[in-house]
Amino acid sequence: SSDLTQPPSVSVSPGQTATITCSGETLGKKYASWYQQRPGQSPVLVIYQDNKRPSGIPERFFGSKSGNTATLTISGTQAMDEADYYCQAWVISTVIFGGGTKLTVL
Amino acid sequence: QVQLLESGPGLVKPSETLSLTCVVSGDSMNINSWSWIRQSPGRGLEWLGYIYYSRSTNYNPSLKNRVSISVDTSKNHFSLELRSVTAADTAVYYCAGGVEWWYFDLWGRGTLVTVSS
């Protein structure tokens, strides 16, 4: 399958840990990346190559992967983390995105 | 700091060609891959294609050979052509750059293109 599956929504209380999963057969062999997209803004890379954090991304963003599932974990979630999150990988050389997860901090 | 800025018509007629340009400013020496990605209103992200090391291109098979990406390194910009557009091509189009083609470090602001007569 060439799909990446994410939960449509995740809710978390401020200060708690948010966990967003991304499942797909390709993740068993290919790197996962994660993007944050706040309302009305462009996506921002927060994790690449499964668990690497670009400079400027807070340490509370953590990426991991096990088998066919990649996970984005946000510890000590803040109101500013409320956004849509997309996972991304590739199949052969075609880039694919997950459907996105809306993270609500309430 | 590298910045990307898309430009092009905001309205394209059905069956015509959508053409967009992405101007790259700043030190982009570490960026080897230039891509186009779109997002239909209220929907997720769809990768259109990339050009890698200014010569190797790869496109989303779902676009059925309608798409072309080119780069003009002397003018610091790269371009998208999407032919034979329909209303389904209405979207915000983002240009993006990356050290490698399999992730996107940098994104432009995005530009809305509407396909309508």
Side-chain angles (χ1 to χ4, degrees):
Chain A
S1 171
S2 60
D3 292 340
L4 296 177
T5 301
Q6 299 180 235
S9 62
V10 168
S11 297
V12 64
S13 300
Q16 299 303 303
T17 297
T19 300
I20 301 173
T21 58
C22 174
S23 299
E25 186 176 341
T26 193
L27 293 176
K29 297 180 180 179
K30 308 301 184 185
Y31 289 128
S33 300
W34 291 91
Y35 302 85
Q36 175 195 68
Q37 186 177 33
R38 296 190 175 109
Q41 297 188 17
S42 305
V44 172
L45 179 69
V46 295
I47 294 289
Y48 69 102
Q49 290 183 183
D50 295 340
N51 53 22
K52 293 180 170 53
R53 211 172 29 248
S55 61
I57 300 301
E59 291 184 3
R60 64 178 183 275
F61 287 85
F62 179 78
S64 61
K65 194 173 74 177
S66 178
N68 293 345
T69 299
T71 302
L72 175 67
T73 303
I74 309 171
S75 58
T77 305
Q78 301 180 9
M80 65 185 299
D81 299 330
E82 186 162 287
D84 293 328
Y85 289 85
Y86 294 90
C87 62
Q88 174 253 310
W90 69 98
V91 177
I92 307 178
S93 54
T94 298
V95 173
I96 56 174
F97 288 93
T101 298
K102 182 175 182 60
L103 177 66
T104 302
V105 182
L106 39 68
Chain B
Q1 186 173 353
V2 183
Q3 292 189 321
L4 308 180
L5 185 62
E6 304 89 349
S7 64
L11 182 64
V12 181
K13 289 182 168 54
S15 80
E16 295 190 345
T17 296
L18 180 162
S19 297
L20 297 175
T21 296
C22 182
V23 175
V24 181
S25 58
D27 182 5
S28 61
M29 281 187 60
N30 291 334
I31 305 301
N32 302 308
S33 179
W34 303 103
S35 301
W36 288 93
I37 295 159
R38 70 182 180 184
Q39 186 170 32
S40 302
R43 301 192 65 179
L45 301 166
E46 179 183 22
W47 170 77
L48 304 182
Y50 65 69
I51 185 164
Y52 191 47
Y53 281 101
S54 299
R55 58 181 181 273
S56 173
T57 55
N58 189 33
Y59 303 120
N60 192 325
S62 70
L63 295 172
K64 298 178 182 178
N65 299 318
R66 295 193 294 131
V67 64
S68 298
I69 295 174
S70 59
V71 64
D72 186 334
T73 54
S74 64
K75 296 182 179 178
N76 284 346
H77 72 250
F78 63 106
S79 302
L80 169 74
E81 275 198 356
L82 182 64
R83 298 173 287 276
S84 304
V85 298
T86 70
D89 295 310
T90 293
V92 174
Y93 285 75
Y94 295 99
C95 59
V99 175
E100 300 293 349
W101 62 261
W102 55 83
Y103 61 91
F104 309 103
D105 303 77
L106 308 166
W107 293 69
R109 296 180 186 176
T111 186
L112 174 62
V113 179
T114 301
V115 179
S116 175
S117 56

